[in-house]
């Protein structure tokens, strides 16, 4: 059986990296692991995991990943990670994609909160 690398770019097989979080069999242990699983969910069009891992205070009521034109995610770079305290963290990343054949990038510092042992995405600041 062929080992498929995880879309998040960790260098780990998908089955041992982000897939268990997307399937709901594990909870990401760090804010960075959650961020990587969310990137992977975007690459796979998994709106269910994106909404489930989004903090209730900022989560949209729905997420339409099928709008045209759909982004083709092609790479993730973690620039930095910072623990604010035991239940708050930030992850700076650059995600690259193609939309309608044009290369684009999203550079963001995302904020995460841990509640009852589970990390959630709260919001982020986009860097121009």
């Amino acid at each position: 059986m062929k080992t498929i690398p995880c879309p998040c770019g960790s260098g780990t097989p998908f089955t041992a990296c982000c897939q268990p979080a997307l399937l709901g069999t594990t909870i990401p242990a760090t804010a960075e692991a959650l961020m990587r699983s969310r990137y992977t969910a975007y690459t796979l069009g998994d709106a269910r995991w994106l909404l489930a891992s989004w903090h209730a205070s900022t989560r949209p009521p729905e997420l339409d990943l099928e709008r045209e034109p759909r982004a083709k995610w092609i790479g993730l770079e973690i620039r930095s990670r910072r623990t604010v305290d035991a239940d708050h963290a930030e992850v700076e990343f650059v995600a690259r994609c193609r939309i309608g054949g044009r290369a684009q990038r999203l550079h963001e510092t995302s904020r995460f909160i841990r509640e009852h042992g589970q990390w959630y995405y709260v919001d982020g600041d986009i860097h121009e």
Side-chain angles (χ1 to χ4, degrees):
M1 184 169 163
K2 183 178 178 186
T3 301
I4 300 169
C6 192
C8 79
S10 66
T12 304
F14 176 58
T15 56
C17 191
C18 292
Q19 186 182 37
L22 274 61
L23 293 174
T25 58
T26 65
I27 297 171
T30 65
E32 180 183 344
L34 178 64
M35 208 248 73
R36 287 182 176 280
S37 74
R38 288 176 56 79
Y39 171 83
T40 297
Y42 274 108
T43 70
L44 299 175
D46 187 345
R48 183 205 53 78
W49 174 246
L50 291 166
L51 289 170
S53 62
W54 210 316
H55 193 264
S57 67
T58 57
R59 179 176 49 233
E62 60 185 49
L63 194 57
D64 182 10
L65 298 179
E66 296 302 318
R67 345 169 246 188
E68 291 295 327
R70 186 168 177 205
K72 176 175 175 26
W73 296 96
I74 55 176
L76 175 67
E77 173 192 353
I78 303 295
R79 293 267 176 102
S80 67
R81 61 206 55 73
R82 181 171 83 92
T83 301
V84 177
D85 60 35
D87 294 320
H88 297 85
E90 296 178 347
V91 178
E92 180 185 358
F93 69 91
V94 175
R96 294 177 297 114
C97 69
R98 289 196 182 279
I99 299 176
R102 294 189 53 174
Q104 298 191 25
R105 55 182 270 195
L106 170 64
H107 182 187
E108 179 176 311
T109 299
S110 296
R111 284 180 285 281
F112 298 86
I113 188 168
R114 183 169 47 190
E115 291 182 346
H116 309 291
Q118 185 168 340
W119 285 100
Y120 294 93
Y121 169 77
V122 177
D123 61 15
D125 295 323
I126 305 290
H127 302 277
E128 298 293 328

